[in-house]
Amino acid sequence: QKVRRNWRRPPNAPDKFSCTVEVRQMPDGEVLSAQVTKSCGSPALDRSVQDAVLRASPLPQPPDKDIFQNDLEFIFKP
């Protein structure tokens, strides 16, 4: 949800699409990198999603620190 709130929809972006993003984060949720591994369908959409992840830093932490993962992969859908 935090990534979605930080997403700035590019002009002419389709209503429906999805892409896969690989995120590397620190234990405090600070995003170190965000890489689109499955395209949203255009370079502009890919960049907008990648930028949204970076702006969402720090990401929310799980309620249980034992399930924290440095590397996350998620599917972004508007």
Side-chain angles (χ1 to χ4, degrees):
Q1 290 177 348
K2 189 172 182 185
V3 172
R4 189 175 291 128
R5 286 192 306 265
N6 281 280
W7 182 56
R8 296 184 181 120
R9 180 185 287 270
N12 302 321
D15 289 335
K16 293 186 179 185
F17 69 89
S18 69
C19 59
T20 303
V21 183
E22 186 176 294
V23 179
R24 177 161 286 204
Q25 64 175 338
M26 296 292 292
D28 65 356
E30 177 188 351
V31 175
L32 298 174
S33 65
Q35 182 69 39
V36 174
T37 56
K38 182 180 175 203
S39 179
C40 301
S42 80
L45 277 173
D46 292 348
R47 276 191 307 277
S48 73
V49 172
Q50 188 173 13
D51 290 346
V53 173
L54 295 172
R55 280 193 298 274
S57 183
L59 297 175
Q61 295 301 293
D64 182 351
K65 296 270 186 199
D66 291 335
I67 62 172
F68 172 80
Q69 296 178 348
N70 286 79
D71 297 317
L72 301 173
E73 183 175 271
F74 66 91
I75 298 173
F76 181 86
K77 296 180 183 181

